Amino acid sequence: PRRLDGEYRTSHTTTLTTRRANVAWAFAAADVHAPELFDAIAETALSQGERFNSQDLANLAQAFSNARRSSPKLFDFIAKTCLQRGLGAFNSQDLANTAFAFGTAGHASRELFDAIGEAAPRSIGSFTGQGLANTLWAYCVLGVDAPAFFTAAAEALPAHIDRLREDFAASSQLYQVFLYLQIESPHQKLLPVLAEHRQIWLDAFWNDSIRPSQSQLGVSHALNVLGWDHEDELRTEDGLSLDIANSSTKTVVEFDGPTHYLQGPDGPSLDGRTHFKRRLLARLGWTC
């Protein structure tokens, strides 16, 4: 992989656009750390973007989010290009992958998500359960409402419940969707569908919670020495897990390690899930 990385960086200007997108996707899928490769692909996409087709754009967005590589300019370009061309060539998987990538990166594009929200109901029958969960999660993480899509998803989800209950990642995402609808933006059709299976989603969400690291426990100990009364991994009534919290003052210290960030040329940036949690905590009256 390292030899391929070096070869690609020296010849990326002549490589076919589809191959660029596929190389990025492959490196991300293989979990190969190659920041210079991803930055080179981003530069090429920005200068030769008209050559990328819809599948290439979806693959690029997915690759960068999976690799936890931040590139705001690339995501802006992908959103702009998708809007200029329209989403007619996007199938349900392309729509889900693109939305999920933007949500993971915490990169909001209201116009793009409005367009996806209009296109998704027309192909709702071809969405997988995971695709529905990924797309709904992205909307909620970024705080974007999509009434037509939410209504279509409410009608489609029941057929996928049996498989979703076996998918801990998707179930965890659906609990976050439930929290968004319950706390921030209720939807009269989707919220009851999710509420009916709340315990399934909650169990998966708790199972998905990150366990405290030794560094976090060290910080907790230091705060105890300083006399600040608190609990570790406090569970709120809404199911959120707080790293270090004082429930009487509703004050929380979130110990956000590397998994909460995307890395980029300009340094680390919080991912979408972490931004979402902080937004929910603020809505619930917690000071973070």
Side-chain angles (χ1 to χ4, degrees):
R2 297 194 180 281
R3 184 172 66 85
L4 177 58
D5 181 8
E7 290 177 356
Y8 185 88
R9 282 187 278 114
T10 59
S11 63
H12 67 272
T13 56
T14 59
T15 307
L16 295 175
T17 54
T18 295
R19 186 176 176 187
R20 295 186 185 110
N22 289 343
V23 166
W25 186 91
F27 268 64
D31 196 23
V32 176
H33 181 67
E36 294 180 12
L37 167 67
F38 279 88
D39 293 344
I41 291 174
E43 289 181 16
T44 304
L46 292 173
S47 63
Q48 302 179 26
E50 71 281 353
R51 300 180 184 179
F52 285 81
N53 61 36
S54 299
Q55 185 66 58
D56 295 335
L57 294 174
N59 284 348
L60 273 179
Q62 185 181 21
F64 272 74
S65 66
N66 288 350
R68 313 288 291 177
R69 191 65 185 167
S70 174
S71 183
K73 290 182 179 179
L74 175 63
F75 276 79
D76 284 340
F77 159 76
I78 291 173
K80 180 180 178 181
T81 304
C82 288
L83 290 168
Q84 288 175 339
R85 297 178 183 176
L87 300 178
F90 276 56
N91 59 31
S92 59
Q93 184 176 352
D94 294 333
L95 295 172
N97 288 348
T98 302
F100 184 68
F102 274 72
T104 300
H107 193 95
S109 173
R110 181 58 188 254
E111 295 81 4
L112 174 61
F113 273 70
D114 284 346
I116 293 175
E118 292 178 5
R122 294 194 290 268
S123 58
I124 199 70
S126 61
F127 272 82
T128 63
Q130 183 185 43
L132 283 173
N134 286 349
T135 309
L136 287 168
W137 177 85
Y139 275 87
C140 298
V141 161
L142 296 176
V144 180
D145 285 335
F149 171 54
F150 287 0
T151 296
E155 296 172 354
L157 267 175
H160 299 282
I161 295 298
D162 287 341
R163 286 190 177 181
L164 284 170
R165 71 170 68 234
E166 298 174 359
D167 186 336
F168 284 106
S171 293
S172 175
Q173 289 170 338
L174 287 174
Y175 187 73
Q176 293 168 72
V177 175
F178 170 78
L179 287 179
Y180 170 76
L181 297 175
Q182 179 176 255
I183 297 169
E184 290 194 339
S185 184
H187 186 275
Q188 62 180 357
K189 290 189 177 181
L190 182 56
L191 182 56
V193 171
L194 293 174
E196 183 178 354
H197 304 281
R198 177 184 182 275
Q199 194 59 48
I200 296 173
W201 319 137
L202 177 59
D203 289 345
F205 182 66
W206 280 355
N207 186 67
D208 193 38
S209 297
I210 298 174
R211 303 296 182 264
S213 64
Q214 288 300 313
S215 297
Q216 178 180 324
L217 294 175
V219 171
S220 175
H221 175 72
L223 292 173
N224 276 324
V225 172
L226 292 172
W228 189 58
D229 185 37
H230 64 274
E231 296 179 53
D232 294 321
E233 299 301 325
L234 174 69
R235 302 279 192 185
T236 70
E237 294 180 357
D238 299 284
L240 294 172
S241 177
L242 310 184
D243 292 345
I244 304 170
N246 183 308
S247 56
S248 61
T249 62
K250 299 198 80 170
T251 305
V252 57
V253 175
E254 285 290 282
F255 191 84
D256 294 331
T259 59
H260 293 266
Y261 292 86
L262 280 75
Q263 300 296 326
D266 299 323
S269 58
L270 282 175
D271 64 13
R273 175 173 174 153
T274 305
H275 271 300
F276 178 46
K277 182 179 180 180
R278 292 188 178 187
R279 198 175 77 232
L280 287 182
L281 289 174
R283 280 295 192 104
L284 293 169
W286 288 86
T287 299
C288 185

CSV table of all heavy atoms in Angstrom, one decimal, residues 138-185:
chain,number,residue,atom,x,y,z
A,138,ALA,N,-28.0,11.0,9.4
A,138,ALA,CA,-27.3,12.2,8.9
A,138,ALA,C,-28.1,13.4,9.0
A,138,ALA,O,-27.6,14.5,9.4
A,138,ALA,CB,-26.9,11.9,7.4
A,139,TYR,N,-29.4,13.3,8.7
A,139,TYR,CA,-30.3,14.5,8.9
A,139,TYR,C,-30.3,15.0,10.3
A,139,TYR,O,-30.3,16.2,10.6
A,139,TYR,CB,-31.7,14.2,8.4
A,139,TYR,CG,-31.8,14.4,6.9
A,139,TYR,CD1,-31.5,13.3,6.0
A,139,TYR,CD2,-32.3,15.6,6.3
A,139,TYR,CE1,-31.6,13.5,4.6
A,139,TYR,CE2,-32.4,15.7,5.0
A,139,TYR,CZ,-32.1,14.7,4.1
A,139,TYR,OH,-32.2,14.9,2.7
A,140,CYS,N,-30.4,14.1,11.2
A,140,CYS,CA,-30.6,14.4,12.6
A,140,CYS,C,-29.3,15.0,13.2
A,140,CYS,O,-29.3,16.0,13.9
A,140,CYS,CB,-31.0,13.2,13.4
A,140,CYS,SG,-32.7,12.7,12.9
A,141,VAL,N,-28.1,14.4,12.8
A,141,VAL,CA,-26.8,14.9,13.3
A,141,VAL,C,-26.6,16.3,12.8
A,141,VAL,O,-26.1,17.1,13.6
A,141,VAL,CB,-25.7,13.9,12.7
A,141,VAL,CG1,-24.4,14.6,12.8
A,141,VAL,CG2,-25.7,12.7,13.6
A,142,LEU,N,-27.0,16.6,11.6
A,142,LEU,CA,-26.8,18.0,11.1
A,142,LEU,C,-27.9,18.9,11.4
A,142,LEU,O,-27.8,20.1,11.1
A,142,LEU,CB,-26.6,17.9,9.5
A,142,LEU,CG,-25.3,17.1,9.1
A,142,LEU,CD1,-25.2,17.0,7.6
A,142,LEU,CD2,-24.0,17.8,9.7
A,143,GLY,N,-29.0,18.4,12.0
A,143,GLY,CA,-30.1,19.3,12.4
A,143,GLY,C,-30.9,19.8,11.2
A,143,GLY,O,-31.4,20.9,11.3
A,144,VAL,N,-31.1,18.9,10.2
A,144,VAL,CA,-31.9,19.3,9.0
A,144,VAL,C,-33.2,18.5,9.0
A,144,VAL,O,-33.2,17.3,9.0
A,144,VAL,CB,-31.1,19.1,7.7
A,144,VAL,CG1,-31.9,19.5,6.5
A,144,VAL,CG2,-29.8,19.8,7.8
A,145,ASP,N,-34.3,19.2,8.9
A,145,ASP,CA,-35.6,18.5,8.8
A,145,ASP,C,-35.9,18.2,7.3
A,145,ASP,O,-35.5,19.0,6.4
A,145,ASP,CB,-36.7,19.4,9.3
A,145,ASP,CG,-36.7,19.4,10.9
A,145,ASP,OD1,-36.2,18.5,11.5
A,145,ASP,OD2,-37.2,20.4,11.4
A,146,ALA,N,-36.6,17.1,7.1
A,146,ALA,CA,-36.9,16.7,5.8
A,146,ALA,C,-38.3,16.0,5.9
A,146,ALA,O,-38.4,14.8,5.9
A,146,ALA,CB,-35.9,15.7,5.2
A,147,PRO,N,-39.4,16.8,6.0
A,147,PRO,CA,-40.7,16.2,6.3
A,147,PRO,C,-41.2,15.1,5.3
A,147,PRO,O,-41.7,14.1,5.8
A,147,PRO,CB,-41.6,17.5,6.2
A,147,PRO,CG,-40.7,18.6,6.5
A,147,PRO,CD,-39.4,18.2,6.0
A,148,ALA,N,-40.9,15.3,4.0
A,148,ALA,CA,-41.4,14.3,3.1
A,148,ALA,C,-40.6,13.0,3.2
A,148,ALA,O,-41.2,11.9,3.2
A,148,ALA,CB,-41.2,14.9,1.6
A,149,PHE,N,-39.3,13.2,3.4
A,149,PHE,CA,-38.5,12.0,3.6
A,149,PHE,C,-38.8,11.3,4.9
A,149,PHE,O,-38.9,10.0,5.0
A,149,PHE,CB,-37.0,12.3,3.5
A,149,PHE,CG,-36.1,11.2,3.9
A,149,PHE,CD1,-36.2,10.0,3.3
A,149,PHE,CD2,-35.1,11.3,4.9
A,149,PHE,CE1,-35.3,8.9,3.6
A,149,PHE,CE2,-34.3,10.3,5.3
A,149,PHE,CZ,-34.4,9.1,4.6
A,150,PHE,N,-39.0,12.0,6.0
A,150,PHE,CA,-39.3,11.4,7.3
A,150,PHE,C,-40.6,10.7,7.2
A,150,PHE,O,-40.8,9.6,7.8
A,150,PHE,CB,-39.4,12.5,8.3
A,150,PHE,CG,-38.1,13.1,8.7
A,150,PHE,CD1,-36.9,12.6,8.2
A,150,PHE,CD2,-38.0,14.1,9.7
A,150,PHE,CE1,-35.7,13.2,8.6
A,150,PHE,CE2,-36.8,14.6,10.1
A,150,PHE,CZ,-35.6,14.2,9.5
A,151,THR,N,-41.6,11.2,6.5
A,151,THR,CA,-42.9,10.5,6.3
A,151,THR,C,-42.7,9.2,5.5
A,151,THR,O,-43.3,8.2,5.9
A,151,THR,CB,-43.9,11.4,5.6
A,151,THR,OG1,-44.2,12.6,6.4
A,151,THR,CG2,-45.2,10.7,5.3
A,152,ALA,N,-42.0,9.3,4.4
A,152,ALA,CA,-41.7,8.1,3.6
A,152,ALA,C,-40.9,7.1,4.4
A,152,ALA,O,-41.2,5.9,4.4
A,152,ALA,CB,-40.9,8.5,2.4
A,153,ALA,N,-40.0,7.5,5.2
A,153,ALA,CA,-39.2,6.6,6.1
A,153,ALA,C,-40.1,5.9,7.1
A,153,ALA,O,-39.9,4.7,7.4
A,153,ALA,CB,-38.0,7.3,6.7
A,154,ALA,N,-41.0,6.7,7.7
A,154,ALA,CA,-41.9,6.1,8.7
A,154,ALA,C,-42.8,5.0,8.1
A,154,ALA,O,-43.1,4.0,8.8
A,154,ALA,CB,-42.8,7.2,9.2
A,155,GLU,N,-43.1,5.1,6.8
A,155,GLU,CA,-43.9,4.1,6.2
A,155,GLU,C,-43.0,2.9,5.8
A,155,GLU,O,-43.5,1.7,5.8
A,155,GLU,CB,-44.6,4.7,5.0
A,155,GLU,CG,-45.6,5.7,5.3
A,155,GLU,CD,-46.1,6.5,4.1
A,155,GLU,OE1,-45.6,6.2,3.0
A,155,GLU,OE2,-47.0,7.3,4.2
A,156,ALA,N,-41.8,3.1,5.5
A,156,ALA,CA,-40.9,2.0,5.0
A,156,ALA,C,-40.2,1.3,6.2
A,156,ALA,O,-39.9,0.1,6.0
A,156,ALA,CB,-39.8,2.6,4.1
A,157,LEU,N,-39.9,1.9,7.3
A,157,LEU,CA,-39.2,1.3,8.4
A,157,LEU,C,-39.7,0.0,8.9
A,157,LEU,O,-39.0,-1.0,9.2
A,157,LEU,CB,-38.9,2.3,9.5
A,157,LEU,CG,-37.7,3.1,9.5
A,157,LEU,CD1,-37.7,4.2,10.6
A,157,LEU,CD2,-36.4,2.2,9.6
A,158,PRO,N,-41.0,-0.1,9.2
A,158,PRO,CA,-41.6,-1.3,9.8
A,158,PRO,C,-41.2,-2.6,9.1
A,158,PRO,O,-41.0,-3.6,9.7
A,158,PRO,CB,-43.1,-1.1,9.7
A,158,PRO,CG,-43.2,0.4,9.8
A,158,PRO,CD,-42.1,0.9,9.0
A,159,ALA,N,-41.0,-2.6,7.8
A,159,ALA,CA,-40.6,-3.8,7.0
A,159,ALA,C,-39.2,-4.2,7.3
A,159,ALA,O,-38.8,-5.3,7.0
A,159,ALA,CB,-40.8,-3.5,5.5
A,160,HIS,N,-38.4,-3.3,7.9
A,160,HIS,CA,-37.0,-3.6,8.1
A,160,HIS,C,-36.7,-3.8,9.6
A,160,HIS,O,-35.5,-4.1,9.9
A,160,HIS,CB,-36.1,-2.4,7.6
A,160,HIS,CG,-36.2,-2.1,6.2
A,160,HIS,ND1,-35.6,-2.8,5.2
A,160,HIS,CD2,-36.9,-1.1,5.5
A,160,HIS,CE1,-35.9,-2.4,4.0
A,160,HIS,NE2,-36.7,-1.3,4.2
A,161,ILE,N,-37.7,-3.8,10.5
A,161,ILE,CA,-37.4,-3.8,11.9
A,161,ILE,C,-36.7,-5.1,12.3
A,161,ILE,O,-35.7,-5.1,13.1
A,161,ILE,CB,-38.7,-3.7,12.7
A,161,ILE,CG1,-39.4,-2.3,12.5
A,161,ILE,CG2,-38.5,-4.0,14.2
A,161,ILE,CD1,-38.5,-1.2,13.0
A,162,ASP,N,-37.1,-6.3,11.8
A,162,ASP,CA,-36.5,-7.5,12.2
A,162,ASP,C,-35.0,-7.6,11.9
A,162,ASP,O,-34.2,-8.0,12.7
A,162,ASP,CB,-37.2,-8.7,11.5
A,162,ASP,CG,-38.6,-9.0,12.1
A,162,ASP,OD1,-38.8,-8.5,13.2
A,162,ASP,OD2,-39.4,-9.6,11.4
A,163,ARG,N,-34.6,-7.1,10.7
A,163,ARG,CA,-33.2,-7.0,10.4
A,163,ARG,C,-32.4,-6.0,11.2
A,163,ARG,O,-31.3,-6.1,11.6
A,163,ARG,CB,-33.0,-6.8,8.9
A,163,ARG,CG,-33.3,-8.0,8.1
A,163,ARG,CD,-32.9,-7.9,6.6
A,163,ARG,NE,-33.2,-9.1,5.8
A,163,ARG,CZ,-32.9,-9.2,4.6
A,163,ARG,NH1,-32.3,-8.2,3.9
A,163,ARG,NH2,-33.1,-10.3,3.9
A,164,LEU,N,-33.1,-4.8,11.4
A,164,LEU,CA,-32.4,-3.7,12.1
A,164,LEU,C,-32.1,-4.1,13.5
A,164,LEU,O,-31.1,-3.6,14.1
A,164,LEU,CB,-33.3,-2.5,12.0
A,164,LEU,CG,-33.3,-1.7,10.7
A,164,LEU,CD1,-34.4,-0.7,10.6
A,164,LEU,CD2,-31.9,-1.1,10.4
A,165,ARG,N,-33.0,-4.8,14.2
A,165,ARG,CA,-32.8,-5.2,15.6
A,165,ARG,C,-31.5,-6.0,15.7
A,165,ARG,O,-31.0,-6.2,16.8
A,165,ARG,CB,-34.0,-5.9,16.1
A,165,ARG,CG,-34.2,-7.3,15.7
A,165,ARG,CD,-35.3,-8.0,16.4
A,165,ARG,NE,-36.6,-7.4,16.2
A,165,ARG,CZ,-37.4,-7.0,17.2
A,165,ARG,NH1,-37.0,-7.1,18.5
A,165,ARG,NH2,-38.6,-6.5,17.0
A,166,GLU,N,-31.0,-6.7,14.6
A,166,GLU,CA,-29.8,-7.5,14.7
A,166,GLU,C,-28.6,-6.6,14.3
A,166,GLU,O,-27.4,-7.1,14.3
A,166,GLU,CB,-30.0,-8.7,13.8
A,166,GLU,CG,-31.1,-9.6,14.2
A,166,GLU,CD,-31.3,-10.7,13.1
A,166,GLU,OE1,-30.6,-10.7,12.1
A,166,GLU,OE2,-32.2,-11.6,13.4
A,167,ASP,N,-28.8,-5.4,13.8
A,167,ASP,CA,-27.7,-4.5,13.4
A,167,ASP,C,-27.5,-3.5,14.5
A,167,ASP,O,-28.2,-2.5,14.5
A,167,ASP,CB,-28.1,-3.9,12.1
A,167,ASP,CG,-27.0,-3.0,11.5
A,167,ASP,OD1,-26.1,-2.6,12.2
A,167,ASP,OD2,-27.0,-2.9,10.2
A,168,PHE,N,-26.5,-3.7,15.3
A,168,PHE,CA,-26.3,-2.8,16.5
A,168,PHE,C,-25.9,-1.4,16.0
A,168,PHE,O,-26.4,-0.4,16.7
A,168,PHE,CB,-25.2,-3.3,17.4
A,168,PHE,CG,-25.7,-4.5,18.3
A,168,PHE,CD1,-25.2,-5.8,18.0
A,168,PHE,CD2,-26.5,-4.3,19.3
A,168,PHE,CE1,-25.7,-6.8,18.8
A,168,PHE,CE2,-27.0,-5.3,20.1
A,168,PHE,CZ,-26.5,-6.6,19.8
A,169,ALA,N,-25.1,-1.2,15.0
A,169,ALA,CA,-24.8,0.1,14.5
A,169,ALA,C,-26.0,0.9,14.0
A,169,ALA,O,-26.2,2.0,14.4
A,169,ALA,CB,-23.7,0.0,13.4
A,170,ALA,N,-26.8,0.2,13.2
A,170,ALA,CA,-28.0,0.9,12.7
A,170,ALA,C,-29.0,1.2,13.8
A,170,ALA,O,-29.6,2.3,13.8
A,170,ALA,CB,-28.6,0.1,11.6
A,171,SER,N,-29.1,0.3,14.7
A,171,SER,CA,-30.1,0.5,15.9
A,171,SER,C,-29.6,1.6,16.7
A,171,SER,O,-30.4,2.4,17.2
A,171,SER,CB,-30.2,-0.8,16.7
A,171,SER,OG,-30.8,-1.8,15.9
A,172,SER,N,-28.3,1.7,17.0
A,172,SER,CA,-27.7,2.8,17.7
A,172,SER,C,-28.0,4.2,17.0
A,172,SER,O,-28.4,5.1,17.7
A,172,SER,CB,-26.2,2.6,17.9
A,172,SER,OG,-25.6,3.7,18.6
A,173,GLN,N,-27.9,4.2,15.7
A,173,GLN,CA,-28.2,5.4,15.0
A,173,GLN,C,-29.7,5.8,15.1
A,173,GLN,O,-30.0,6.9,15.3
A,173,GLN,CB,-27.8,5.2,13.5
A,173,GLN,CG,-26.3,5.1,13.2
A,173,GLN,CD,-26.1,4.7,11.8
A,173,GLN,OE1,-26.9,4.0,11.2
A,173,GLN,NE2,-24.9,5.0,11.3
A,174,LEU,N,-30.5,4.8,15.1
A,174,LEU,CA,-32.0,5.0,15.2
A,174,LEU,C,-32.3,5.6,16.5
A,174,LEU,O,-33.3,6.4,16.7
A,174,LEU,CB,-32.8,3.8,14.8
A,174,LEU,CG,-32.8,3.4,13.3
A,174,LEU,CD1,-33.5,2.1,13.1
A,174,LEU,CD2,-33.4,4.5,12.5
A,175,TYR,N,-31.6,5.2,17.6
A,175,TYR,CA,-31.9,5.8,18.9
A,175,TYR,C,-31.5,7.3,18.9
A,175,TYR,O,-32.2,8.1,19.4
A,175,TYR,CB,-31.1,5.1,20.0
A,175,TYR,CG,-31.6,5.7,21.3
A,175,TYR,CD1,-32.8,5.4,21.9
A,175,TYR,CD2,-30.8,6.6,22.1
A,175,TYR,CE1,-33.3,5.9,23.0
A,175,TYR,CE2,-31.2,7.1,23.3
A,175,TYR,CZ,-32.5,6.8,23.7
A,175,TYR,OH,-32.9,7.3,24.9
A,176,GLN,N,-30.4,7.6,18.2
A,176,GLN,CA,-30.0,9.0,18.0
A,176,GLN,C,-31.1,9.8,17.2
A,176,GLN,O,-31.4,11.0,17.5
A,176,GLN,CB,-28.6,9.1,17.4
A,176,GLN,CG,-27.5,8.6,18.3
A,176,GLN,CD,-26.2,8.4,17.6
A,176,GLN,OE1,-25.6,9.4,17.3
A,176,GLN,NE2,-25.9,7.2,17.3
A,177,VAL,N,-31.6,9.2,16.2
A,177,VAL,CA,-32.7,9.8,15.5
A,177,VAL,C,-33.9,10.0,16.4
A,177,VAL,O,-34.6,11.1,16.4
A,177,VAL,CB,-33.1,8.9,14.3
A,177,VAL,CG1,-34.4,9.5,13.6
A,177,VAL,CG2,-32.0,8.7,13.3
A,178,PHE,N,-34.2,9.0,17.2
A,178,PHE,CA,-35.3,9.1,18.2
A,178,PHE,C,-35.1,10.3,19.1
A,178,PHE,O,-36.0,11.1,19.4
A,178,PHE,CB,-35.5,7.9,19.0
A,178,PHE,CG,-36.4,8.0,20.1
A,178,PHE,CD1,-37.8,7.9,20.0
A,178,PHE,CD2,-35.9,8.1,21.4
A,178,PHE,CE1,-38.6,8.0,21.1
A,178,PHE,CE2,-36.7,8.2,22.5
A,178,PHE,CZ,-38.1,8.2,22.3
A,179,LEU,N,-33.9,10.5,19.6
A,179,LEU,CA,-33.6,11.6,20.5
A,179,LEU,C,-33.7,12.9,19.8
A,179,LEU,O,-34.3,13.9,20.3
A,179,LEU,CB,-32.1,11.5,21.0
A,179,LEU,CG,-31.8,10.4,22.0
A,179,LEU,CD1,-30.3,10.5,22.4
A,179,LEU,CD2,-32.7,10.7,23.3
A,180,TYR,N,-33.3,13.0,18.5
A,180,TYR,CA,-33.5,14.3,17.8
A,180,TYR,C,-34.9,14.6,17.6
A,180,TYR,O,-35.3,15.8,17.8
A,180,TYR,CB,-32.8,14.1,16.4
A,180,TYR,CG,-33.2,15.2,15.4
A,180,TYR,CD1,-32.5,16.4,15.5
A,180,TYR,CD2,-34.1,15.0,14.4
A,180,TYR,CE1,-32.8,17.5,14.6
A,180,TYR,CE2,-34.4,16.0,13.5
A,180,TYR,CZ,-33.8,17.3,13.6
A,180,TYR,OH,-34.1,18.3,12.7
A,181,LEU,N,-35.8,13.6,17.3
A,181,LEU,CA,-37.2,13.9,17.1
A,181,LEU,C,-37.9,14.2,18.4
A,181,LEU,O,-38.8,15.0,18.5
A,181,LEU,CB,-37.8,12.7,16.4
A,181,LEU,CG,-37.4,12.3,15.0
A,181,LEU,CD1,-38.0,11.0,14.5
A,181,LEU,CD2,-37.6,13.5,14.0
A,182,GLN,N,-37.4,13.6,19.5
A,182,GLN,CA,-38.0,13.8,20.8
A,182,GLN,C,-37.6,15.2,21.4
A,182,GLN,O,-38.5,15.8,22.0
A,182,GLN,CB,-37.6,12.7,21.7
A,182,GLN,CG,-38.2,12.9,23.1
A,182,GLN,CD,-37.8,11.7,24.0
A,182,GLN,OE1,-38.7,10.8,24.3
A,182,GLN,NE2,-36.6,11.6,24.4
A,183,ILE,N,-36.4,15.6,21.2
A,183,ILE,CA,-35.8,16.7,21.9
A,183,ILE,C,-35.9,18.0,21.0
A,183,ILE,O,-36.2,19.1,21.5
A,183,ILE,CB,-34.4,16.5,22.3
A,183,ILE,CG1,-34.4,15.4,23.4
A,183,ILE,CG2,-33.8,17.7,22.9
A,183,ILE,CD1,-33.0,14.8,23.7
A,184,GLU,N,-35.6,17.8,19.7
A,184,GLU,CA,-35.4,19.0,18.9
A,184,GLU,C,-36.5,19.2,17.8
A,184,GLU,O,-36.9,20.4,17.6
A,184,GLU,CB,-34.0,18.9,18.1
A,184,GLU,CG,-32.8,19.0,19.0
A,184,GLU,CD,-31.5,19.2,18.2
A,184,GLU,OE1,-31.5,18.9,17.0
A,184,GLU,OE2,-30.6,19.8,18.7
A,185,SER,N,-37.0,18.2,17.2
A,185,SER,CA,-37.9,18.5,16.1
A,185,SER,C,-38.8,17.3,15.9
A,185,SER,O,-38.6,16.4,15.0
A,185,SER,CB,-37.1,18.7,14.8
A,185,SER,OG,-37.9,19.0,13.7
